């Protein structure tokens, strides 16, 4: 099975809050892209996270699509739920976000 590769750089906590999809069972990230995907497509995310020196690679499946021209001027892209093997990445992200997970700030998805 081939996996499309997506690259995502998140350089600050605000960007991480906007991209993180805490409501997914294994957690996930919204990745801005204009590449067309279908729900269920398997992808690999190469993630540069904050000031960490090494990139993190996570696999998952597309569970959200924000099309070009979406209502509310939302960014075009896809939401990717982490695979069970990469669910630990959601714990790492939640540790970074701490209390802001319950914030009412808008995210890229909900």
């Amino acid at each position: 099975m081939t996996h499309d590769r997506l690259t995502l750089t998140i350089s600050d906590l605000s960007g991480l809050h906007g991209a993180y999809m805490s409501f997914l069972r294994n957690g996930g990230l919204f990745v801005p892209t204009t590449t067309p995907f279908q729900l269920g497509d398997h992808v690999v995310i190469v993630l540069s996270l904050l000031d960490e020196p090494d990139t993190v690679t996570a696999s998952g499946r597309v569970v959200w699509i924000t099309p070009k021209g979406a209502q509310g001027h939302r960014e075009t892209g896809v939401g990717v739920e982490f695979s069970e093997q990469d669910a630990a990445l959601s714990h790492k992200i939640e540790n970074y976000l701490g209390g802001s997970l319950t914030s009412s700030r808008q995210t890229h998805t909900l």
Side-chain angles (χ1 to χ4, degrees):
M1 174 186 315
T2 62
H3 294 284
D4 282 303
R5 255 181 144 51
L6 295 168
T7 303
L8 180 62
T9 299
I10 298 177
S11 55
D12 58 36
L13 289 176
S14 174
L16 184 58
H17 179 270
Y20 184 56
M21 300 172 76
S22 62
F23 55 88
L24 297 173
R25 184 167 40 107
N26 296 323
L29 288 169
F30 178 83
V31 182
T33 181
T34 55
T35 302
F37 285 96
Q38 300 294 317
L39 291 175
D41 283 353
H42 289 271
V43 296
V44 172
I45 301 172
V46 179
L47 174 65
S48 297
L49 187 58
L50 304 174
D51 56 0
E52 292 192 5
D54 299 319
T55 59
V56 178
T57 302
S59 63
R61 63 187 178 90
V62 174
V63 296
W64 180 283
I65 297 173
T66 303
K68 186 174 182 179
Q71 177 179 349
H73 305 290
R74 291 191 179 271
E75 192 162 9
T76 303
V78 295
V80 177
E81 181 178 20
F82 301 139
S83 67
E84 286 191 29
Q85 304 91 281
D86 292 318
L89 180 54
S90 66
H91 299 298
K92 178 183 229 176
I93 291 170
E94 289 172 8
N95 285 337
Y96 274 122
L97 292 175
S100 72
L101 273 175
T102 56
S103 158
S104 61
R105 285 189 321 201
Q106 188 171 19
T107 68
H108 292 296
T109 51
L110 296 177

